[in-house]
Amino acid sequence: MSDNHLPPEALDAWADALRERFGLAPDDVPIALILDLAGDVSRGVARPAAPFSAYVAGLVAGRRGGSPEDVRATVAEISQMAAGWEN
């Protein structure tokens, strides 16, 4: 395994470090929701679109108010777009 890859069991430790550094609550970093979004976009659009879409989801959810509900709603919208995406 490359030093640039995070093993699955270390994901929680990385998320905890980010939460601590930026003063985030566990609900502020919904790992499973973000990974599901990345998978939906990777399959429906293209793999390189996944991180970009996750960034956009965070930006839009923040502008909508930033609550966990705002995040879930924004992710759902982007996932629906990806499911129906046709180039």
Side-chain angles (χ1 to χ4, degrees), residues 30-61 64 70-85:
I31 295 171
L33 184 68
I34 295 164
L35 294 177
D36 287 347
L37 172 63
D40 291 345
V41 172
S42 291
R43 287 185 298 277
V45 181
R47 181 172 281 192
F52 175 77
S53 299
Y55 174 84
V56 170
L59 182 64
V60 171
R64 289 179 171 175
D70 294 323
V71 172
R72 283 192 296 274
T74 303
V75 166
E77 287 179 58
I78 294 173
S79 290
Q80 287 174 346
M81 287 178 63
W85 186 255

Side-chain angles (χ1 to χ4, degrees), residues 1-41:
M1 173 172 41
S2 164
D3 289 338
N4 293 329
H5 289 78
L6 184 66
E9 61 274 7
L11 185 57
D12 287 334
W14 175 243
D16 287 344
L18 290 172
R19 288 179 187 115
E20 182 178 330
R21 171 67 175 88
F22 296 107
L24 300 170
D27 285 347
D28 293 334
V29 185
I31 295 171
L33 184 68
I34 295 164
L35 294 177
D36 287 347
L37 172 63
D40 291 345
V41 172

